[in-house]
Amino acid sequence: MSQLLNYKNFAEKLDLKKGEILLLNSNFLNIFLRARSEKKTFDFDMFIDAIFSKIGKKGTLLIPAYSWEFCKSQSFDSNKTKSICGSLPNYFIGKNCFQRTNNPIYSFLIRGFYQRYLCSLKNNDSFGKKSIFNFLIKKKAKNIFFDIDYKDSFTFVHVAEQEAKVNYRFKKKFTGFYKKNGKRRKISTIVFSRKLETGVKGTKIDSSFDNILIKKEAIIDKKLMNINCQIIDVFKAYEIMKKLFKNKKNEYIYPVYK
């Protein structure tokens, strides 16, 4: 079977630079369906290698590998616990080419220059000043959304909510057992969680927020080989969200109730 993508050409069209820090969110369902219908293949390893070849050894690639298992069973295995973030992280979990970070709820798979540093962080406060999210903000990373709308998975909104101390969320501590490389230990982590008694279902980023990002040159939309891609400047987007919360402009980002 032939390949669905020219991986090298695809990575070229993303306009990536050496030394960049990238966070890659993805949804491969439509890609797999298209590959099956066209009797072609899609290779995760070749896809990631093509992206990594563009950012080079000084670059860093992160893939969200979030899991709610620790919240439910108070147990997490870095090499085995599956992610809710789709097929890409679940393909690479437990493989040597990526290392998983220490937060048992908001973990990331890391490859590249900052791998050792990021995988050494305890970041017990998931969205706090020492979290990986804040690292990505400070380093002005790019968040790439591969065939998924950023409004459905831009987790940095919770960092801005925590900074603004919104009244529909609170800091909740989860305690359980964390296993990594055969060693098991008891840990606690904090998540800025929904106040369920208020009936809040989640946080919505309104479509009108797109125009603000465009105006501030914080987002790039691309259609590459019939695949939708969005590239967000994490620092710019976060600063915009933080200002909106400060000025109480709630028509762009707001809680959704049941």
Side-chain angles (χ1 to χ4, degrees), residues 64-234:
Y66 312 153
S67 171
W68 310 147
E69 183 60 33
F70 190 76
C71 307
K72 300 173 183 177
S73 66
Q74 292 79 52
S75 179
F76 179 87
D77 189 322
S78 179
N79 293 320
K80 294 181 180 179
T81 300
K82 294 298 183 181
S83 167
I84 62 164
C85 298
S87 53
L88 182 65
N90 285 322
Y91 175 81
F92 285 109
I93 286 173
K95 295 193 175 183
N96 292 331
C97 52
F98 280 90
Q99 294 295 314
R100 199 170 189 177
T101 57
N102 291 321
N103 191 301
I105 300 173
Y106 284 96
S107 67
F108 296 85
L109 299 180
I110 315 282
R111 176 179 172 184
F113 186 77
Y114 283 105
Q115 182 190 77
R116 180 176 294 181
Y117 170 72
L118 292 174
C119 290
S120 70
L121 294 178
K122 293 182 179 179
N123 55 91
N124 296 328
D125 186 339
S126 301
F127 305 129
K129 296 295 185 183
K130 296 182 180 180
S131 70
I132 290 178
F133 292 104
N134 258 290
F135 169 86
L136 293 170
I137 292 167
K138 291 176 182 177
K139 291 293 184 179
K140 300 182 178 180
K142 287 182 179 178
N143 197 167
I144 299 177
F145 295 85
F146 184 83
D147 211 31
I148 185 172
D149 193 315
Y150 81 92
K151 292 186 287 295
D152 296 326
S153 52
F154 194 50
T155 316
F156 293 91
V157 69
H158 302 317
V159 184
E161 287 177 317
Q162 180 165 308
E163 177 74 17
K165 299 179 181 178
V166 298
N167 60 11
Y168 50 88
R169 290 182 179 270
F170 74 110
K171 286 189 175 183
K172 183 175 181 179
K173 181 187 286 188
F174 295 89
T175 301
F177 290 94
Y178 178 93
K179 187 176 181 181
K180 187 173 186 177
N181 300 327
K183 296 181 180 180
R184 188 171 179 262
R185 58 192 174 92
K186 191 173 184 178
I187 65 169
S188 295
T189 191
I190 294 170
V191 174
F192 202 46
S193 302
R194 294 172 292 137
K195 290 183 178 178
L196 298 179
E197 68 274 14
T198 68
V200 65
K201 186 178 179 180
T203 302
K204 179 175 177 62
I205 301 176
D206 195 84
S207 58
S208 59
F209 188 62
D210 294 6
N211 296 326
I212 299 178
L213 292 180
I214 293 169
K215 183 178 180 180
K216 298 294 184 179
E217 298 182 338
I219 188 171
I220 297 172
D221 279 292
K222 288 178 175 286
K223 187 91 169 180
L224 305 178
M225 302 181 185
N226 208 33
I227 297 168
N228 294 318
C229 294
Q230 295 169 309
I231 304 173
I232 289 184
D233 183 313
V234 169

